[in-house]
Amino acid sequence: MTTIVVLFNLQAGVDESVYQQWATETDIPTAGGLASVDSFDVLKAEGILMSEATPPYQYIEILKINDMDKFGQEVASETMQKVAIEFQKFADNPTFIMTSKL
């Protein structure tokens, strides 16, 4: 199983409440509903443990993918392409990290 971790901040001028509503009403149910996705969570960074420093990223997405080939096909769908375009309007240079469990 592959886990994709997405790290990002919102673009300047994006209303956080608008992003969060879009994430809960559109992104999470659409991407999380793909057959190739076992789970999809969006996390809001709240702080750094035992530090007063600001986290380097505001949001973290964690997608657990059960079939990367199928995921590639599903992400290419018209619906997911629309979601991806909308995501790009919110996220400032997101980093998509593919991981595997040790």
Side-chain angles (χ1 to χ4, degrees), residues 1-5 9 12-13 20 25 29 31 33 35 41 45-46 57 71 73-74 87 95-96 100:
M1 176 176 295
T2 299
T3 299
I4 300 173
V5 178
N9 292 311
Q20 289 180 2
E25 293 178 1
D41 295 303
E46 299 291 340
Y57 297 100
F71 181 70
Q73 294 168 2
E74 291 178 324
F87 177 71
T95 301
F96 294 77
S100 60

Side-chain angles (χ1 to χ4, degrees), residues 44-72:
K44 183 177 184 328
E46 299 291 340
I48 296 177
L49 186 63
M50 298 188 304
S51 173
E52 296 296 318
T54 301
Y57 297 100
Q58 294 171 298
Y59 291 94
I60 301 102
E61 294 183 347
I62 301 174
L63 297 98
K64 297 210 181 258
I65 311 299
N66 59 50
D67 184 332
M68 282 302 293
D69 291 333
K70 183 159 184 69
F71 181 70

Side-chain angles (χ1 to χ4, degrees), residues 4-81:
I4 300 173
V5 178
V6 185
L7 306 171
F8 66 97
N9 292 311
L10 297 178
Q11 291 191 35
V14 169
D15 182 324
E16 190 170 46
S17 66
V18 172
Y19 162 71
Q20 289 180 2
Q21 181 176 359
W22 173 83
T24 57
E25 293 178 1
T26 301
D27 194 22
I28 295 169
T30 304
L34 298 175
S36 61
V37 177
D38 282 349
S39 67
F40 177 36
D41 295 303
V42 178
L43 309 171
K44 183 177 184 328
E46 299 291 340
I48 296 177
L49 186 63
M50 298 188 304
S51 173
E52 296 296 318
T54 301
Y57 297 100
Q58 294 171 298
Y59 291 94
I60 301 102
E61 294 183 347
I62 301 174
L63 297 98
K64 297 210 181 258
I65 311 299
N66 59 50
D67 184 332
M68 282 302 293
D69 291 333
K70 183 159 184 69
F71 181 70
Q73 294 168 2
E74 291 178 324
V75 168
S77 73
E78 185 177 329
T79 299
M80 280 304 299
Q81 287 300 301

